[in-house]
Amino acid sequence: MLKRVIVAVLVAVAVAVSLVLGGHGLLPEFGGFTPVLESLLPWLGTTVPLLLLGALLARSRAAAAAALLPAAVWGVMFGPDLLRTAPGGPSDLSVATLNVGVVNDSSGLAVRTVAKGRDLFAAQELTPGGPAAAELDTLFPHKVQISTVGLWSRFPIVERSQADIGLDWVRALRAVVETPKGRVTVYVVHLASARPGETAQRDRTLAHARRLVDADDSERLLLLGDLNTATTDRKRADLVPPLLDAQEEAGTGFGFTWPASFPVTRPDHILYRGLTATSAGVEPAAGSDHRAAVASLRISRR
């Protein structure tokens, strides 16, 4: 009798996990639980070895077969992320984005290690006169810093302005960079925070970011920053498409960036259009609670 109950529970859990994985987009947004679930969606795969262990202990072929169902769904959903290889080839822009951490006393070291060899570096949570901005000033000849966000560039910045993402304070900017192969419009964005049960403001700022993209007719566009929106969060679909995600196009693995000590999700993104991502990845950044998202991209001539 006990064995039957255990097997029934294992099978029920396997089916439930499979349904959540495959149908998470149909789940109602209940009390802030759904965004958290979607942010951690790849981690549901850890239930598979536990289910298999339970089936082994119960000596149940039925439970073992049931455990293969979420394994199959997970493999279809996330297997390509693990098997993908970078397209490679020539690139024209090496970019990075990092939330340097507002209380990070090592932010100067953090940006120095990540910024080495980059053409564009986007930073969030900057402090006025802080070590991160001071260090970046020594590494790049061109910059625009507005409030707590900034862009440093190896190429001239010919246009600069703050960008409205619907907050009472500035957390986004727009710049146009003159590269040897033409102009690239760059947005550096730090969307509102998302916490369990508190995603409404994040969602509004995300909608504002989408309007910025839709209204901008630039042929080549980069959107860099801390979007507080995981790759698997349904709300990210507001931006991807129309933009492409460098990690999804040219990175290997999930590219988790937060928390830095043991990343479990990816709120930091490099999105683009009119360019081709040739490689993408993640790099550690001293002292910050985020890791840096990095990518190389190719500019197509007109």
Side-chain angles (χ1 to χ4, degrees):
M1 180 66 179
L2 179 59
K3 178 180 177 178
R4 290 180 180 179
V5 172
I6 293 174
V7 170
V9 170
L10 291 172
V11 171
V13 171
V15 172
V17 171
S18 302
L19 291 174
V20 170
L21 279 169
H24 67 92
L26 301 176
L27 294 174
E29 297 186 44
F30 176 71
F33 168 76
T34 309
V36 174
L37 172 66
E38 290 186 324
S39 297
L40 301 175
L41 206 60
W43 293 95
L44 289 184
T46 60
T47 60
V48 172
L50 296 177
L51 288 168
L52 288 172
L53 177 61
L56 178 64
L57 294 175
R59 297 181 181 179
S60 169
R61 292 182 180 179
L68 297 180
L69 180 60
V73 176
W74 191 95
V76 170
M77 293 177 65
F78 301 116
D81 294 324
L82 303 180
L83 299 175
R84 185 191 304 113
T85 57
S91 62
D92 305 298
L93 282 177
S94 178
V95 306
T97 181
L98 174 65
N99 182 323
V100 300
V102 68
V103 295
N104 181 10
D105 294 333
S106 301
S107 62
L109 174 61
V111 299
R112 183 166 67 249
T113 56
V114 177
K116 185 178 180 181
R118 307 291 173 198
D119 299 305
L120 298 175
F121 188 97
Q124 306 88 52
E125 288 200 9
L126 295 165
T127 53
E135 183 66 30
L136 288 166
D137 286 346
T138 69
L139 299 173
F140 295 91
H142 309 283
K143 78 164 184 178
V144 51
Q145 181 180 351
I146 300 177
S147 184
T148 59
V149 295
L151 176 70
W152 279 260
S153 173
R154 190 164 66 87
F155 307 116
I157 297 174
V158 296
E159 294 181 24
R160 62 194 70 201
S161 62
Q162 68 183 50
D164 179 17
I165 55 170
L167 293 172
D168 294 333
W169 67 101
V170 179
R171 295 219 313 193
L173 64 82
R174 178 185 186 272
V176 177
V177 179
E178 187 74 73
T179 79
K181 289 192 175 182
R183 293 187 173 186
V184 178
T185 298
V186 184
Y187 286 89
V188 180
V189 177
H190 187 186
L191 297 186
S193 298
R195 297 178 178 85
E198 299 178 15
T199 61
Q201 189 177 44
R202 189 283 309 272
D203 295 346
R204 287 194 296 270
T205 59
L206 187 60
H208 273 269
R210 173 60 186 268
R211 286 195 285 271
L212 289 173
V213 171
D214 287 344
D216 198 313
D217 60 1
S218 301
E219 179 183 1
R220 307 180 190 98
L221 184 147
L222 275 168
L223 192 153
L224 312 173
D226 179 356
L227 305 186
N228 279 307
T229 309
T231 303
T232 46
D233 188 326
R234 70 184 66 181
K235 293 296 183 180
R236 199 193 65 128
D238 291 347
L239 286 173
V240 182
L243 303 180
L244 296 173
D245 185 311
Q247 180 65 26
E248 289 187 331
E249 299 298 321
T252 300
F254 298 113
F256 294 147
T257 60
W258 184 89
S261 57
F262 187 84
V264 298
T265 189
R266 182 181 173 89
D268 305 282
H269 297 278
I270 297 174
L271 309 181
Y272 64 93
R273 73 169 184 234
L275 302 151
T276 301
T278 58
S279 66
V282 174
E283 294 186 3
S288 175
D289 60 340
H290 289 244
R291 296 188 182 187
V294 302
S296 295
L297 303 109
R298 182 165 58 249
I299 300 174
S300 301
R301 291 187 181 274
R302 294 178 182 175

